[in-house]
């Protein structure tokens, strides 16, 4: 294979900078290295050329699916035939749900809140009314719904909409009290308007208020019931354009519901009352009840209650009707939870809810309003939940919800995403999680079962893990763009419950949520799971299928920071690296936490923030706590939160760090191997003079910053790499030498802003640091946080000939320190022989805080970390065969033809570098950003190759090839409008990524072109062909006496011919992008071509249908023409001949029908008279020929007109 020098690869590349360039941080990074490699070829490093297969054609970004509960819901709608549910939100979003797997998200461009939703039942369309007074028609017959039409009201505000079943005319009520009518097909306003002053009586002196209800009578579609806010009810006759009856009530109306026979209706009011009205006696309600009001002893009206916001009145053929309403509780119980009341006959059931009720709908067997409704379920939309109540059972159980809408059960604090993980994990996690499921659900099937969904082409297993503020961790099956709960782990169970008044120790760190999960690390192969909590603890979990009752092992670690060591200007005087083997677990280390602060009273020392349970604990099958490690108070100062975490099952080690230092723990032997400050990790290799540039006294500088906080008000605590400018130092010194900047460390109340996630390496601190000042113009702080950790088989030193076990440590100042791990030679000695941790002396540098590490072998293939194959720690078989560990070491090939080197990929928040090992030569540098910083970086596999995926704080998503760091993708996709996005964004293999788009929703996206092309096949179908059920036969007598026998033609009444045109200034029609143009823009690749072909066939079918209609119309016109021509011949006294020539065909239908179609484009009006037809004719009669403007399905024969 062709040999070449790596430096030459960089020639001509504009985005990648060669080592030694003077630009920005790459030059300083190379120059600051303790072991500069010089030129790439100087160390004798010409290597075989690596063929990189990834190109920019492999990448494209698009959102795939959104999971979770719709954030801030406002509206609810259900299609009883298609059986799909729509939820509108305050942010202008619509979520459409069907059977599990059918979940669609769409968004109004305006972002206006959704006021109301109306399905065109079994038509595959949805109407949304928004707070910006716009109506939108959504096409649901495509997998990604789009808007077909919009109608924007200019002078009136929309308050209520009603669309009758199988009608194309939408009634729209407004704030002024008027009712307008919109044609759904054309989205044009009809000239028919019901003005409020015509609807109410002339004698009424006050305005009735906004329209709060509209519905047509089940008995007669030509009658419209209009409810006004002030209590006025108008029964409007649409044909005669007058009010048939008017009713008045003292209390404001909130909702109205019809009895299916159309003779009675029920209203809910603001005083908690329900009134039942009869059309025959509208003067007053014939029944008034206050369901939750106390009955007065003297017979007076019951006490008023809270408003009944909505009522539904549903009839049953074989039982009493259901009256279901929300609200209406008594005022004397202020602490009572929101409730839904179900009245069935004399039985009243009150269902208390955990959250306020937004809306509810009763699901019925029939879509026809004039039949027995037969309700079978109630869908209740709460502010933070969706529940469905089974009405067919007397105890009204709820259905088990198949949707992942409980993601936000406790606020999400961090996320991890794993694609293409071992296939046996999902069944195993599901089996242990199913044992903890709640009981008492309805045994009926989930009633929202519409749509269709299949697995698609993507078959690899995916798992999402979410950490929560209450200490719980949830594992989700995310395969094939679905989401299903697998298993829930409660990390708080390892700690004692805090009694009232005993939470002071924790309160020094967090004000609430002391168990919040801050960071997670999971090894899917070994099933080792590790959690870092906000109260400065780490828990190591092992997976077992067996229940066990045992005590929880715990360790306490001191990380103390000696001021004298930090400020010493000469790095040579730093203490030598201690012998890890001689260090007992509780020995006070030479470095690592906050300073000693003199305070009154008892000084806390060696106390953890939480208490681990000392008694034996029953642990069910699943993840069981193996070891709890807690940082303790040191000399009156609380421990700092953990900023980085790494675990390796093959080594049996867990490492974690914060802004004070690093700790390495052997979780097999339950001992602390290392606990020291970041400065001491360098040993004699510290490249910095740890002294401020400002000429102030070192001691004064130390006193103001020894607790690890930034003085910049925009910065968070424990600022990992904060380098203070002279102005910052000046502000700090004004406080005085003995006062720390803050009295508390980071609190969980600030978690929404400043919680770091997994190996995100203190991204929030980076955020603050970059906002407060430029990196290039600030001094180096004496504090240096550990921001990245990585275990791997690597070359620890420059002259190593073989790989060894290493721990790579990245800091907030861009320094990379390699620690050597000396493990026992044989696995038999692993439990007894100590593990040695020692410095390798290797220090590498980058610009900005280090975010991630990865290792490639000499062929450019990603080298995975070593791991132990999972075995059940509590298996019944306790033989030696079972106890022996099986390790998989992913070290580079030892054969000579594969080479004896590897590549180390290191990415910081500013740049990425690739080093050749063991020579430690920097081969490639790419300055990712100068003006912003990275929030997340991951080395991922895609299409059997590897790349570096980055998410920048300015919203850019980038991918770089490896090892050459060529830019492959750079798109400004997702502005970081909320720190929640920065905290939860993560990449994974196969081109997948996710982030928390709202406090309740996870948004998944892909940056793979292949998945974008296949996405259309993976999404569910919202609309499926279903026959509309036939209406019940009402019978002769019922049809004769039970309702209006007169057919109601809305087209004739509301059409332009009768009603005229509406004022143009009243509403503006806006064509949508949901037609063929929208699909053409959205679809791509083969799937897009197929979609376009399918739509073209649909359009052609529509044209054929229109052609048939026009053909029939023209046949009728032709017959009329022939009749008129015959009349001409009988009227004319003098015969004359006029030859009408055969007209040439001007339009042939593209399908190529055998008979030619003729079109007369000009108006064919012939003034026919004998004088004009023949000179010898003396007739003066004039005949007007019919006007023909449409294609004719026949040719004109030669006709002779005799007059």
């Amino acid at each position: 294979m062709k040999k070449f020098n790596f430096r030459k690869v960089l020639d001509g590349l504009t985005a990648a900078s060669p080592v030694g360039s003077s630009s920005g941080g790459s030059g300083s990074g190379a120059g600051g290295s303790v072991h500069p490699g010089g030129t790439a070829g100087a160390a004798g490093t010409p290597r075989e050329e690596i063929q990189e297969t990834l190109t920019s054609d492999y990448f494209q970004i698009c959102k795939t699916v959104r999971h979770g509960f719709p954030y801030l819901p406002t509206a609810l709608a259900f299609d009883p035939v298609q059986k799909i549910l729509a939820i509108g939100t305050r942010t202008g979003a619509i979520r459409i749900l069907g059977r599990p797997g059918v979940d669609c998200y769409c968004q109004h461009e305006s972002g206006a809140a959704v006021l109301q939703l109306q399905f065109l039942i079994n038509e595959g369309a949805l109407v949304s009314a928004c707070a910006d007074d716009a109506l939108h028609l959504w096409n649901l017959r495509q997998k990604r719904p789009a808007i077909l039409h919009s109608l924007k009201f200019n002078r009136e505000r929309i308050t209520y909409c009603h669309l009758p079943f199988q009608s194309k005319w939408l009634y729209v009520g407004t704030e002024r009290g008027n009712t307008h009518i919109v044609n759904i097909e054309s989205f044009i306003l009809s000239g028919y308007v019901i003005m409020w002053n015509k609807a109410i009586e002339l004698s009424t002196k006050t305005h009735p208020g906004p329209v709060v209800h509209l519905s047509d009578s089940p008995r007669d579609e030509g009658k419209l019931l209009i409810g006004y806010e002030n209590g006025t009810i108008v029964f409007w006759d649409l044909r005669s354009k007058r009010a048939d009856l008017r009713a008045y009530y003292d209390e404001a109306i909130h909702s109205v519901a019809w009895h299916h026979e159309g003779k009675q209706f029920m209203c809910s009011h603001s005083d908690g009352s329900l009134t039942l009205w009869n059309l025959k006696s509208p003067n007053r309600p014939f029944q008034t009840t206050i369901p939750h009001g106390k009955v007065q002893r003297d017979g007076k009206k019951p006490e008023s209650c809270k408003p009944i916001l909505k009522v539904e009145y549903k009839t049953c053929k074989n039982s009493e009707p259901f009256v279901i309403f929300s609200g209406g509780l008594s005022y004397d119980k202020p602490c009572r939870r929101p409730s839904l009341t179900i009245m069935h006959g004399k039985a009243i059931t009150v269902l208390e809810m955990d959250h306020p009720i937004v809306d509810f709908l009763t699901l019925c067997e029939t879509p026809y309003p004039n039949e027995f409704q037969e309700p079978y379920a109630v869908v209740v939309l709460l502010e933070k939940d969706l529940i469905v109540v089974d009405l067919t059972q007397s105890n009204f159980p709820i259905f088990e919800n198949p949707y992942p809408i409980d993601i936000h059960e406790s606020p999400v604090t961090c996320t991890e995403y794993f694609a293409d993980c071992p296939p046996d994990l999902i069944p195993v996690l599901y089996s242990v999680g199913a044992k903890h499921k709640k009981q008492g659900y309805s045994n009926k099937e989930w009633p929202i079962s519409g749509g269709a969904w299949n697995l698609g082409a993507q078959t690899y297993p995916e798992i999402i893990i979410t950490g929560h503020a209450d200490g719980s961790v949830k594992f989700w099956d995310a395969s094939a763009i679905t989401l299903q709960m697998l298993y829930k782990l409660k990390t708080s169970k390892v700690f004692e419950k805090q009694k009232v008044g005993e939470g002071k120790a924790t309160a020094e760190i967090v004000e609430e949520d002391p168990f919040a999960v801050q960071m997670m690390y999971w090894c899917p192969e070994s099933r080792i799971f590790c959690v870092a909590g906000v109260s400065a603890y780490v828990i190591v979990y092992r997976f077992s299928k067996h229940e066990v009752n045992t005590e929880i092992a715990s360790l306490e670690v001191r990380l103390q920071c000696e001021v004298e060591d930090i400020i010493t200007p000469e790095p040579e005087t730093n203490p030598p690296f201690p012998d890890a083997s001689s260090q007992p677990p509780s020995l006070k280390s030479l470095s690592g936490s906050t300073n000693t602060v003199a305070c009154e009273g008892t000084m806390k020392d060696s106390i953890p923030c939480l208490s681990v349970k000392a008694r034996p604990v029953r642990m069910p099958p699943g993840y069981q706590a193996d070891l709890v490690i807690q940082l303790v108070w040191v000399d009156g100062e609380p421990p700092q939160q953990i900023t980085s975490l790494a675990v390796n099952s093959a080594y049996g080690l867990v490492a974690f760090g914060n802004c004070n230092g690093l700790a390495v723990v052997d979780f097999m032997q339950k001992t602390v191997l290392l606990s020291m400050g970041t400065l001491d990790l360098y040993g004699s290799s510290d490249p910095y003079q740890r002294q401020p540039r400002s000429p102030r006294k070192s001691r004064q500088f130390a006193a103001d910053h020894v607790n690890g906080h930034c003085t910049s008000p925009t910065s968070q605590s424990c600022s990992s790499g904060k380098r203070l400018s002279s102005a910052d130092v000046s502000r700090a010194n004004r406080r005085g030498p003995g006062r720390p900047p803050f009295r508390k460390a980071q609190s969980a109340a600030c978690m929404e802003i400043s919680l770091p996630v997994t190996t995100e390496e203190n991204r929030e601190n980076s955020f603050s640091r970059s906002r407060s000042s430029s990196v290039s113009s600030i001094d180096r702080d004496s504090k240096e946080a550990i921001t990245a950790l990585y275990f791997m088989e690597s070359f620890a030193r420059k002259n190593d000939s073989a790989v060894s076990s290493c721990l790579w440590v990245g800091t907030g100042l861009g320094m990379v320190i390699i620690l050597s791990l000396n493990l026992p030679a044989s696995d038999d000695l692993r439990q007894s022989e100590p593990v040695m941790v020692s410095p390798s002396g290797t220090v590498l540098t980058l610009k900005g805080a280090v975010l991630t590490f990865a290792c490639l072998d000499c062929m450019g293939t990603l080298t995975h970390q070593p791991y132990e194959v999972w075995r059940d720690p509590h298996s019944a078989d306790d033989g030696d065969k079972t106890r022996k560990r099986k390790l998989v070491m992913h070290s580079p090939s030892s054969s000579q033809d594969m080479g004896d080197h590897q590549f180390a990929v290191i990415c910081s928040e500013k740049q990425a570098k690739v080093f050749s090992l063991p020579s430690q030569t920097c081969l490639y540098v790419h300055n990712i950003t100068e003006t912003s910083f990275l929030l997340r970086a991951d080395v991922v596999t895609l299409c059997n190759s590897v790349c570096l995926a980055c998410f920048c704080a300015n919203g850019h998503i980038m991918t770089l090839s490896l090892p050459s760091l060529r830019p492959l993708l750079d798109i400004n996709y997702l502005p970081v409008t909320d720190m929640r996005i920065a905290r939860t964004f993560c990449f994974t293999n196969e081109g997948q990524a996710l982030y928390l788009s709202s406090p309740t929703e996870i948004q998944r996206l892909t940056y793979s072109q292949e998945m974008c092309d296949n996405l259309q096949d993976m999404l569910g179908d919202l609309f499926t062909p279903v026959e509309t059920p036939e209406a019940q036969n009402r019978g002769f007598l019922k049809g004769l006496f039970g309702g209006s026998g007169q057919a109601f033609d809305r087209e004739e009444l509301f059409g332009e011919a009768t009603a005229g045109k509406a004022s143009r200034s009243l509403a503006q029609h806006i064509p949508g992008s949901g037609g063929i143009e929208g699909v053409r823009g959205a679809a791509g690749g083969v799937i897009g071509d197929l979609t376009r072909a399918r739509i073209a066939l649909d359009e052609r079918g529509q044209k054929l249908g229109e052609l048939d209609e026009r053909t029939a119309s023209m046949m009728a016109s032709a017959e009329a023409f022939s009749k008129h021509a015959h009349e001409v011949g009988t009227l004319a006294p003098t015969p004359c001949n006029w030859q009408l020539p055969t007209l040439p065909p001007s339009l042939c239908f593209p399908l190529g029908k055998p008979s030619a179609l003729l079109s007369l484009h000009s108006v064919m009006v012939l003034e026919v008279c004998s004088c004009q037809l023949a000179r010898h004719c003396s007739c003066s009669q004039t005949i007007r020929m019919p006007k023909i403007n449409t294609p004719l399905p026949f040719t004109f024969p030669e006709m002779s007109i005799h007059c």
Side-chain angles (χ1 to χ4, degrees), residues 285-296:
F286 77 87
Q287 183 180 328
T288 302
T289 58
I290 301 182
H292 295 296
K294 286 185 178 179
V295 180
Q296 303 294 331

Side-chain angles (χ1 to χ4, degrees), residues 111-185:
V114 178
L115 298 179
Q116 198 175 352
L117 296 170
Q118 289 268 319
F119 274 105
L120 277 67
I121 295 175
N122 205 25
E123 296 289 340
L126 175 72
V127 175
S128 60
C130 295
D132 61 350
D133 306 309
L135 297 172
H136 307 277
L137 179 64
W138 293 83
N139 177 17
L140 306 185
R141 292 184 178 237
Q142 54 195 54
K143 292 193 174 184
R144 294 217 160 179
I147 293 176
L148 292 170
H149 300 283
S150 297
L151 189 66
K152 179 77 166 64
F153 281 75
N154 297 323
R155 298 195 309 227
E156 298 193 50
R157 308 217 65 182
I158 299 172
T159 56
Y160 196 86
C161 297
H162 170 64
L163 180 65
F165 178 48
Q166 294 182 327
S167 168
K168 69 175 184 179
W169 297 94
L170 174 74
Y171 301 112
V172 181
T174 68
E175 194 175 42
R176 291 187 180 180
N178 302 325
T179 302
H180 301 275
I181 301 170
V182 178
N183 187 318
I184 290 298
E185 293 178 350

Side-chain angles (χ1 to χ4, degrees), residues 18 223 682 736:
K223 304 291 179 65
Y682 293 100

Side-chain angles (χ1 to χ4, degrees), residues 81-241:
V81 179
Q82 287 289 321
K83 295 192 181 302
I84 56 176
L85 186 79
I87 301 174
T89 73
R90 200 179 301 169
T91 59
I94 298 177
R95 286 282 290 282
I96 304 172
L97 304 170
R99 66 176 67 248
V102 178
D103 186 344
C104 181
Y105 168 86
C106 34
Q107 174 74 44
H108 293 91
E109 289 185 4
S110 65
V114 178
L115 298 179
Q116 198 175 352
L117 296 170
Q118 289 268 319
F119 274 105
L120 277 67
I121 295 175
N122 205 25
E123 296 289 340
L126 175 72
V127 175
S128 60
C130 295
D132 61 350
D133 306 309
L135 297 172
H136 307 277
L137 179 64
W138 293 83
N139 177 17
L140 306 185
R141 292 184 178 237
Q142 54 195 54
K143 292 193 174 184
R144 294 217 160 179
I147 293 176
L148 292 170
H149 300 283
S150 297
L151 189 66
K152 179 77 166 64
F153 281 75
N154 297 323
R155 298 195 309 227
E156 298 193 50
R157 308 217 65 182
I158 299 172
T159 56
Y160 196 86
C161 297
H162 170 64
L163 180 65
F165 178 48
Q166 294 182 327
S167 168
K168 69 175 184 179
W169 297 94
L170 174 74
Y171 301 112
V172 181
T174 68
E175 194 175 42
R176 291 187 180 180
N178 302 325
T179 302
H180 301 275
I181 301 170
V182 178
N183 187 318
I184 290 298
E185 293 178 350
S186 61
F187 244 57
I188 295 176
L189 210 57
S190 168
Y192 192 112
V193 183
I194 305 173
M195 304 299 289
W196 68 270
N197 53 356
K198 293 183 179 180
I200 64 173
E201 285 184 342
L202 295 176
S203 59
T204 307
K205 296 181 180 180
T206 58
H207 190 280
V211 175
V212 296
H213 177 82
L214 291 168
S215 60
D216 54 335
S217 167
R219 194 179 187 191
D220 184 359
E221 295 176 343
K223 304 291 179 65
L224 184 69
L225 188 71
I226 307 172
Y228 294 95
E229 189 180 59
N230 73 341
T232 302
I233 303 164
V234 176
F235 196 48
W236 184 264
D237 189 331
L238 293 166
R239 300 182 191 89
S240 62
K241 301 183 181 179

